Amino acid sequence: MADWHPILAAVEGPTGVWRMVAPDGREYGRIELRRVTNGARVRYKTVWRGEVLGWAATLREACWRLHGAYLAAHGPSGGPVADWGGRDA
C-alpha cells in the first residue's frame, strides 16, 4: 500500500466539492473549494462530522487532514492508560 494516498479516497461532485469515501462506500468527510482574497487565491475547507477541521492551501493537504481525523476516530481516545513506571511517585 506504499503507493496509496488519502487523495485517492476523494470523489469529486458536484464541481469544487470532494467527498471522502471509505472502503465500505460511506462518506466520512467533505472538502469544499473556496475562493478568498477577492477570488485571487483558493483554499480548501475541510469538514469532518459537520465541523470545520480547518483550511488548507492544497487539495492534497486537505485530504491528509481529513483522513487523519478519520483514522483517529478508529482508535482509543485520550492518552495512554498504562503506567510504565518511568516516573517516581
Side-chain angles (χ1 to χ4, degrees), residues 32-86:
E32 301 172 6
L33 179 67
R34 298 283 193 235
R35 295 206 177 271
V36 295
T37 321
N38 296 327
R41 298 184 321 182
V42 295
R43 291 291 180 259
Y44 297 86
K45 178 180 163 184
T46 308
V47 180
W48 164 253
R49 294 185 174 171
E51 294 185 26
V52 177
L53 276 182
W55 296 80
T58 65
L59 178 59
R60 183 182 185 103
E61 180 184 359
C63 289
W64 186 257
R65 286 183 186 180
L66 189 51
H67 191 69
Y70 172 71
L71 291 178
H74 286 83
S77 57
V81 177
D83 180 8
W84 299 104

Side-chain angles (χ1 to χ4, degrees), residues 17-40:
V17 176
W18 290 265
R19 298 176 298 113
M20 296 293 282
V21 179
D24 64 2
R26 286 191 264 173
E27 180 181 322
Y28 66 86
R30 195 171 280 258
I31 299 167
E32 301 172 6
L33 179 67
R34 298 283 193 235
R35 295 206 177 271
V36 295
T37 321
N38 296 327

